[in-house]
Amino acid sequence: NDGAYGLESYYNSALTGTSGMTVTAKNAAGKTMLYDYEQYYDAENGANLITTLDSTVQYYLEKGLEEMIAKFDPKNGATGIVMDVRNGAVLGMASFPTYDLNNYSGIYDSKLQETLAGLEEGSDEYLSALGAAQNKQWRNKCVNDTYEPGSTFKPVTLAAALEEGLVNANTTFNCTGSIRVPGWSGAIGCSKRSGHGTQVLKVATGNSCNPAFITMGLKIGTETYYDYLEKFGFLESTGIDLYGESKTIFASRENFNTNVVSLASYAFGQTFNITPLHLIRAQAACVNGGYLMKPYVVKSIVNGDGEAVVSNSPTVVRQVVSEQTSATVRQILEQVVGDPVDGTGKNAYVAGYRIGGKTGTSEKVAQDAAGGAKEYIVSFIGFAPADDPQIVILVLLDTPSSSTGIYISGGQMAAPTVGKMMADILPYLGVEPSYSETEKTYMDKTVPNVTGLSVEQAKAALEEVGLQARVYGEGGTVTAQLPGSGAVVASGSTILLYAGKEPSADKETMPDLTNLSYQTARDRMAALGLYIKTNSSITDTAQIVSGQTVAAGTQLDHGTVVEVTLVTSDSSMLGRY
């Protein structure tokens, strides 16, 4: 009856309580003496934990990760954290492969089940494989595992360079596609092999330009850069109230100070290992005014009467950078998402909200050195609202499949997931959207009720909300419409109006829309009397469909609305950094 894992283990003494007992006096013969010597001690129930986790935020986090896993089939699962930027409280934390809480010993994940296939149940080999599978599904990758973050680490370099006064908004960088570093025989490449040319700081960040960040790192210098690694908490435990937090892997200060090549690679997030938790709390410090917070998952310990006996309050570890530096970082990272041309994180854009963030696509350097096929971890970290951050979200996919047709990058795979999470979580937290006129033009539209109106009145009502009409029948009054009122469809969709004629009962075959532009997909569906809406934000009709909720080949009724995911595909900006 002892907690063996997670919060049950960390807070075991508070949760367990004490057993009741009776103390009696006995004589030398072992016989109980008079009752006056008896003393009774009542049992005390264990306390309860009130966590910082928000069940709705947790739901949206898990939902987003599950959809991302289903789409991109990562070899080693996925991880996600949602944190309150202001105080370090963890609002959501998820790790896949996962397990069924009601049957925690059973192997839940299909890939882990395959590791047991063909083994004799009860044999030593089976039990060994079962134990390994159980440990994998029980591991909390957010705190137990480390990885090379890649470009999601670049905001740390940016913040350090700004704080030291080495760069500003007007600083320019010339990218030729690679950069040479003293002590390294070759050149370190950029995601855009032909080079980005001359670019100011915010554009270089939006481009995720490696040579620009290496240049910043070299300006900072090994000694000062290592100081910032310490200040941002990368060389210490985060102090979260969970057991099993892994140590980060960095070069010693002595070795780092004699190796400019390490400085260059650190500057864009390679050749060291950190936990996702270390990264998200450092990124929170970059945008919350510069304050490094101690993360926590238990808000309070309460007794049986609901009274708090212990309360965890936000703890500032230290201020790493100034309020001014933090404000500048926020502005630059907002460009990464909000700039439809130069922003590598533009697929995390959500209409009506100001979001900042950074993409990451890191090569597994240690694995590559072993001679295997190249593998990548793709990730995205985003915060919102960009002008007054409340939440920060980190998601990562470990070794996504290369057979999905989507370019392996954080901007194409992870950014859309964070965008969808933001679209769900921000309204739930009470953050109201504010739409520009351009956003209103591209947004999905709600179909009005035009049944009973004249055909001309119906057309005018649809046109007013950004929809078109196709009329069947010779009557002057609309007797039916598809889709019905209240349906949400893509802007510019053609609504079917029936004037004295009945809708066809025939079925239509769902086409494969993946890799089609948003406009082409909408028009192809319209020709079949079918419709799309998007779970992504739309910045232009050239965005590409990367997924659909109804499989190609499915038979559908006329008027059916299918949800699609959109990404902005720009091969000139895609890179593995």
Side-chain angles (χ1 to χ4, degrees), residues 9 23 51 61 70 114 146 218 261 298:
S9 175
V23 177
T51 73
L61 174 63
E114 292 174 1
T146 63
L218 295 177
V261 176
V298 170

Side-chain angles (χ1 to χ4, degrees), residues 305-346:
D305 297 325
E307 300 171 337
V309 293
V310 176
S311 294
N312 287 332
S313 57
T315 302
V316 178
V317 179
R318 67 183 70 91
Q319 185 171 9
V320 184
V321 296
S322 68
E323 295 269 0
Q324 182 179 353
T325 292
S326 181
T328 304
V329 171
R330 290 196 298 268
Q331 293 167 5
I332 292 173
L333 294 183
E334 185 177 6
Q335 286 290 116
V336 174
V337 176
D339 191 324
V341 177
D342 295 318
T344 52
K346 54 195 171 187

